[in-house]
Structures are given as C-alpha cells and as structure tokens.
Amino acid sequence: MFTTRPTLQGTFGMVSSTHWLASQSAMAVLEDGGNAFDAAVAAGFVLHVVEPHLNGPAGEVPIILAPAGGEVRVLCGQGGAPAGATVAHYRALGLELVPGTGPLAAAVPGAFDAWMLLLRDHGTKSLADVLRYAIGYAEDGHAPVERVGETVETVRELFEREWPTSADVYLPGGRSPRPGELFRNPALAATWRRLIAEAEARAAEEGDGSRVAQIEAARAVWRGGFIAEALVRQAGRPTMDTSGERHVGTLSAEDLRGWSASYEDPVTYDWNGWTLCKAGAWSQGPAFLQQFALLPRDVAELPAYGSAEYVHLLVEGCKLAMADREAWYGDAGAGAGAGDVGEEGPEGVPVRELLSEEYNAGRRRLIEEKASYLLRPGAPGGRKPRLSAHAMAVAAGETRGLDRGAGAAAGAGEPTVVADGGTRGDTCHLDVVDRWGNMLSATPSGGWLQSNPVVPELGFPLGTRLQMAWLEEGLPNSLTPGRRPRTTLTPSLALRDGVPVLAFGTPGGDQQDQWQVHFFLGVVLREAVRGGLDLQGAIDAPNWHTEAFPGSFHPRGMAAGSLVVESRMDAGVVAELRRRGHEVTVGGAWSEGRLCAVSRDPLTGVLSGAANPRGAQGYAVGR
C-alpha cells in the first residue's frame, strides 16, 4: 500500500511531533546524551515558539510516560478553575456559555509546571540545557509555517482594534508572519532568560545550585515571581471576548500559588492482546477505550479494514462513547486523581462501569445498519444520565450552532477540522522513545495566540480551557473552583505483555479519539500482513470524523448524522455510507488527522517512528 514516507527505524532514539523544528530539537537533546524526557521538555518549549497558534506556556499538557522498567503514569498539566470562577459569577454577567476567548475562559495555567515536573523527576538535563532551543528560535528567529500567518490574518482586526499587545508581537509593522522570513518573539526569549537567571540565583542563595534546586526555583518564579505577577495583571485587564463584551478574568495570585501539576495512574483497557493507557475522565481519554469496548473482542470478527461496514461500525461506536462522555465525564473532584474514578456518589465518574463488558454489550446492540441521528448516553449501574440544557437543546436542533463547523468563529475555541472538511488548525503532539526504552506521549495545547491578548511583559497569552465547562450546576463538567475542565487532549500509550510498545496521538479537539481509534486499528490489522508495526501506513490511511455530538468548544454545536471523509476514500465506500444514512461530506484528500507515533520492539530493541504528512509540517526523526 502507498505511503508518503517510510516508517523510520533505528536503535538510538525516535521522535515524532507536529513540527520538524521540535522533532529535531528533541533529537539534538538525545544526541547530547539526554533521555526521552529531557528531549520532550525541550521540544515542548520549541512548540510554544514555532506553533504559537496551537499552544503556549500558559496552556495545558497531559503527558503519559513510561520510564524504562517502571510503571506507566499520567502527568496532569491541566490546571483547575480559579477560586472566583463560579457558575453564579458568570451567570451574573449575563453569560450562558463560558466565552471562547478572553480572561474569563482562563484556567490556572498548567503546561509550564508539568514540563518542569517531568524534567525534575525523570530528566537529566538542566533548565538552561532544555530551554536553549526555544530561546534560540524566539530570539534569533525561525521561518514560520504558512498557517501561523493565516491564523494571525483571521484575527487581524481584533488585534489592531482590541488586543494591541498581540499586534505588537504578531503584526510588527502591520505585517503578519510569512514563510521564508524570520519571525522573532524577543519578549518570550527574554522571559526564559530571566527565569533561568532568577532560578539559578535562588538555588545558589539557598546553598544548593543543583539541577533539581534550579527547577524548583523556576517553578516558584512561575507561581509567585515576575511571571505570576504579569499573568494576574493581564487577567485583570478588561478584554473583548467572543461574547462581544469586555470582561476581566478570575485568575488570582492565590490560584497560581495553590496549584501544581500532579501524577495519576492511567485508565486502562485490554483489547486483543494490548493494554491501552489513557488519562482519566477529566480528559476524553476513556472515550477512546470505550470505542474498543464496543468492538468485538476478537480482531478476526471485525469487518474488512476500510470497508463501509468497518467505517460505519467505528462511527456509530464513536457516537455512543461520545454521548457517554457528554453525560458522565468531568473532574472527579478537586484534587481527585484516577484512583477516584468509578467511586459512588454525585462527584464520582463511573469509568469502570462505562468500560465494562456488561455495560457495552447493551450499548453494542444499539448499533444498527442505519446511521443514528440521536444523542444516546447510557445509564451505567442504573444511574440516570444528566446532560446540560444547552447540550439537549443542541441535540434537538433548538439552538444556534447546529452545524458546529459553520457556526464556529475563527479563533473561538480550540482550532480544529470543521464540518466542511476545511482546516483551521489544531493543536500539537509529541512522542519520544530513547535507546534505554523510556517512552512518552504528550499533547500540548491552549494558550494559543488567538485565545487571549499577549501578556506584554512575557510574550505569550493566557489560555481558554474553561470554555469546556458548563454554566449549569450539578453536572460532571460544571464550572467549579478548583476542578479541571474536561479537556479533549488525549495522548495514548499501548503495552503488550505489560511492556510499553507504542506511543501515539494527534491534535484535533473532539476528533482526537476518532482518528486515534482508526490509526491503532490500522496498526493492529496491518501488522499481520506486513509482519511488523506499519506506523506510517496506518497514519497515511484515509481517515474521517463525525460531529454527531455536542462540541467541546464555543459555541458548542452539533451536526447530527454528519460524517466528513477524505476524498481518497473509495467512492463505493462513500456511496454505501450514504445509503446507510450518513450525511457524508467529502473533504480534502489529506484533511483528516495529524497523527504522530513512535514504537519500540521489546524483543529486538528496534525503534520506529512515523509522522503525519497532512499540513506538511509534522516529521519523525531518529537513528
């Protein structure tokens, strides 16, 4: 089968990310003696520079890591809602949804502290070692991808009229960033240089200039030093947002001081000899697992790969899993981790029951020959599902945003693929495996240039993740101080016989755990044919997505029965899907998915890597 590139193979190290400069920076760290975790931190900060329309330091990042010989863990870089972020406060402002932009949508920033915790606990390099690549690209410049300038142009009027600090960075002299011309962000470079200097000085003053002491000092500067002060000042500035009004945010110094990234156990599911690992129900990760729980246990019982029956089965299973996501997912409680999921009580999330064979046997019977146009959450353990009033109205076609692709304003919410098959961007992804067997999958996002005005003292904006929470009390994902808004960010890691073998993921908001299901099935189903993990073939295969459930981002619409497919999909398959009742839109030939993947064969030690050709910027590197 045709592939755009070979699946790379080697024994030293493999990196795959959504931008070649991040991939190569990570590889440079590996070549310099660093491990996979050092490399990932360096690449993560480079992504902030080279994909500023897709992520930033004040955004968030969930990470799944597998230290060689250790246990798989989830590192949560998703901050919670500030203490002042209550449903009552937002309702008093006349809001029915959290705005898609502006400081009211800002959660406590999570990405920076997560990267620092990863470096402290699992890395070997110093703070200066890993930040030098990002500093170099911000200070000396890099040639931006075309998409950066296109994104800036979509918000030019907003920047020039309302967000002048963003115009200063992204419209210098009135010109947006252009390919082939060096683009610089000297304020961001200065922020990281000052952070390093202050961290080194603090550590030395305390009599411990060690690597770990410097990292801890940097975390303290972020939480309570010049960075924290600037973030709080920015949150307090009246800012025009998607509501059409100017609002101030709720983020406070106490919120920043009181939050830190944390480790959790992954939620897992065993399928066809694999153990699939995901973050908990504060992400959408369990929806990926439930889609496998809805499939036959024996891979031989699956329809032919790529057939209409195969696509139909996956799409209909996705609708059921996402309906359950809408009714049941959310943070299990302030400070709650994966160990709390499935507990009884109004704050519990019944993940174990949602993944159980008994529950999914009943759900599986709902899949019929014809496409469903209904939003059908289940009742695990006899519990009654609870949907927000907005979600129910959207599902019934009673509110705006029915076609969420057409209804989403540019820059409002997480950029993603829209219903017409066009692309407004997505987020970022990064996978790394090293020669010792350390493996990591991370999906950085949020804090993108179109989310909030650039903080002038820092060179980057606040995020907007609170837009994913509902302004209605008593729901699993109600806006609640201290709780994480349910995120779409969902990196993946797969084990065989308890040994990490494969790390993968993709940008794409609500589409992430649709594209990843097809990718993983492609890996499994193509393995028997090729005799090995065909990562690039599984990435390149024609993909699709549906929006037949309420969207996670403002204005949170839905397109019942929708199915967007790449034009490379066989015409006979498309015709059969339409006969089955799917509202099929044929998009671009390379418009669905932004997957990255790395793997390690535990028997031979051979490492593999592959990256998505769509968008012409994702690359795998390795040797």
Side-chain angles (χ1 to χ4, degrees):
M1 180 177 289
F2 168 80
T3 61
T4 58
R5 311 165 182 176
T7 294
L8 304 184
Q9 292 197 311
T11 56
F12 180 82
M14 285 287 162
V15 181
S16 179
S17 87
T18 48
H19 197 289
W20 63 83
L21 291 179
S23 296
Q24 188 53 46
S25 297
M27 195 66 200
V29 173
L30 294 179
E31 297 284 3
D32 194 43
N35 65 20
F37 309 118
D38 296 312
V41 176
F45 281 91
V46 169
L47 287 171
H48 296 159
V49 179
V50 300
E51 293 192 315
H53 57 311
L54 307 178
N55 78 137
E60 44 277 326
V61 57
I63 303 169
I64 302 183
L65 60 147
E71 295 295 320
V72 175
R73 298 286 277 165
V74 171
L75 177 51
C76 175
Q78 172 60 64
T86 64
V87 170
H89 174 65
Y90 286 61
R91 287 289 190 177
L93 296 173
L95 297 171
E96 296 182 359
L97 294 174
V98 177
T101 60
L104 274 178
V108 179
F112 177 84
D113 200 58
W115 290 126
M116 289 299 99
L117 225 60
L118 181 67
L119 184 65
R120 183 196 72 182
D121 297 341
H122 299 282
T124 65
K125 295 289 188 178
S126 71
L127 182 64
D129 285 338
V130 297
L131 281 178
R132 68 187 180 96
Y133 304 91
I135 291 172
Y137 288 124
E139 195 167 62
D140 301 328
H142 69 283
V145 295
E146 186 176 358
R147 199 68 197 106
V148 176
E150 289 175 352
T151 302
V152 172
E153 286 298 326
T154 67
V155 288
R156 172 185 282 273
E157 183 180 350
L158 175 67
F159 281 12
E160 292 179 334
R161 188 183 71 247
E162 295 283 349
W163 296 7
T165 58
S166 295
D168 290 344
V169 174
Y170 292 105
L171 289 166
R175 284 170 59 91
S176 57
R178 299 186 182 187
E181 298 180 2
L182 289 179
F183 175 72
R184 297 176 174 88
N185 189 342
L188 179 57
T191 294
W192 297 144
R193 287 196 181 280
R194 181 177 174 184
L195 175 77
I196 292 169
E198 290 194 11
E200 290 176 347
R202 283 194 186 196
E205 287 172 7
E206 295 172 2
D208 182 1
S210 69
R211 186 186 74 87
V212 169
Q214 290 176 14
I215 295 168
E216 283 299 294
R219 297 177 72 206
V221 171
W222 178 276
R223 285 201 190 103
F226 78 96
I227 294 177
E229 292 167 359
L231 292 174
V232 171
R233 278 195 300 272
Q234 184 63 45
R237 294 184 176 115
T239 301
M240 177 65 71
D241 59 37
T242 53
S243 72
E245 303 290 337
R246 295 180 184 89
H247 293 111
V248 299
T250 61
L251 184 69
S252 71
E254 291 74 20
D255 295 319
L256 287 165
R257 281 197 299 267
W259 185 86
S260 66
S262 58
Y263 292 98
E264 303 175 357
D265 292 330
V267 177
T268 63
Y269 186 77
D270 293 331
W271 185 81
N272 202 56
W274 293 81
T275 298
L276 302 170
C277 302
K278 283 289 197 175
W282 54 269
S283 76
Q284 69 174 351
F288 172 88
L289 304 178
Q290 189 179 354
Q291 288 175 76
F292 284 92
L294 288 163
L295 293 177
R297 299 291 294 180
D298 187 345
V299 69
E301 297 177 17
L302 285 171
Y305 177 74
S307 66
E309 186 180 1
Y310 170 87
V311 177
H312 175 79
L313 178 65
L314 297 191
V315 171
E316 294 305 298
C318 171
K319 293 175 185 177
L320 295 172
M322 290 302 190
D324 280 341
R325 183 195 73 168
E326 194 59 43
W328 297 105
Y329 287 23
D331 198 346
D340 300 290
V341 296
E343 300 299 326
E344 296 292 337
E347 296 182 351
V349 181
V351 172
R352 294 185 184 91
E353 290 178 86
L354 288 169
L355 297 179
S356 70
E357 173 56 28
E358 179 183 8
Y359 176 73
N360 285 288
R363 300 288 278 162
R364 201 177 295 126
R365 288 192 289 272
L366 296 176
I367 299 176
E368 300 177 340
E369 183 190 3
K370 291 291 188 178
S372 170
Y373 279 58
L374 302 175
L375 185 67
R376 299 181 290 180
R383 300 172 180 84
K384 184 178 180 180
R386 177 101 187 264
L387 295 171
S388 71
H390 179 89
M392 288 189 289
V394 166
E398 297 171 355
T399 189
R400 72 185 184 97
L402 177 63
D403 180 342
R404 73 181 192 220
E414 182 165 77
T416 188
V417 173
V418 295
D420 60 6
T423 308
R424 295 194 179 121
D426 30 64
T427 182
C428 306
H429 188 77
L430 169 68
D431 298 308
V432 189
V433 61
D434 64 27
R435 61 191 185 274
W436 299 289
N438 298 303
M439 186 178 289
L440 170 142
S441 181
T443 309
S445 187
W448 45 76
L449 66 86
Q450 63 272 40
S451 63
N452 260 296
V454 167
V455 184
E457 305 93 325
L458 303 178
F460 60 84
L462 286 163
T464 55
R465 193 58 58 173
L466 289 188
Q467 67 179 287
M468 306 188 74
W470 292 112
L471 296 182
E472 183 178 337
E473 300 285 7
L475 301 171
N477 193 31
S478 297
L479 181 66
T480 306
R483 291 197 181 178
R484 297 165 288 191
R486 191 206 73 217
T487 178
T488 54
L489 307 175
T490 174
S492 302
L493 200 140
L495 292 72
R496 267 184 166 171
D497 300 321
V499 179
V501 170
L502 177 64
F504 58 99
T506 179
D510 294 312
Q511 282 75 56
Q512 290 180 33
D513 279 329
Q514 302 184 55
W515 294 330
Q516 290 187 72
V517 167
H518 179 47
F519 162 78
F520 183 75
L521 281 171
V523 170
V524 172
L525 296 174
R526 294 163 68 95
E527 182 181 15
V529 177
R530 296 182 60 92
L533 300 184
D534 180 19
L535 304 185
Q536 194 64 51
I539 288 174
D540 288 353
N543 218 320
W544 60 82
H545 80 271
T546 179
E547 296 182 354
F549 47 86
S552 296
F553 297 93
H554 187 91
R556 312 202 71 164
M558 172 178 168
S562 66
L563 179 58
V564 182
V565 304
E566 290 183 322
S567 62
R568 294 180 296 124
M569 183 175 284
D570 181 85
V573 171
V574 173
E576 173 60 16
L577 289 169
R578 285 177 170 149
R579 188 195 69 78
R580 287 172 178 255
H582 296 278
E583 295 285 343
V584 180
T585 298
V586 178
W590 297 93
S591 57
E592 292 288 319
R594 297 289 186 274
L595 281 143
C596 300
V598 299
S599 69
R600 179 179 183 272
D601 187 326
L603 297 179
T604 64
V606 171
L607 312 178
S608 299
N612 171 63
R614 301 165 178 89
Q617 66 185 68
Y619 275 87
V621 296
R623 70 170 178 88

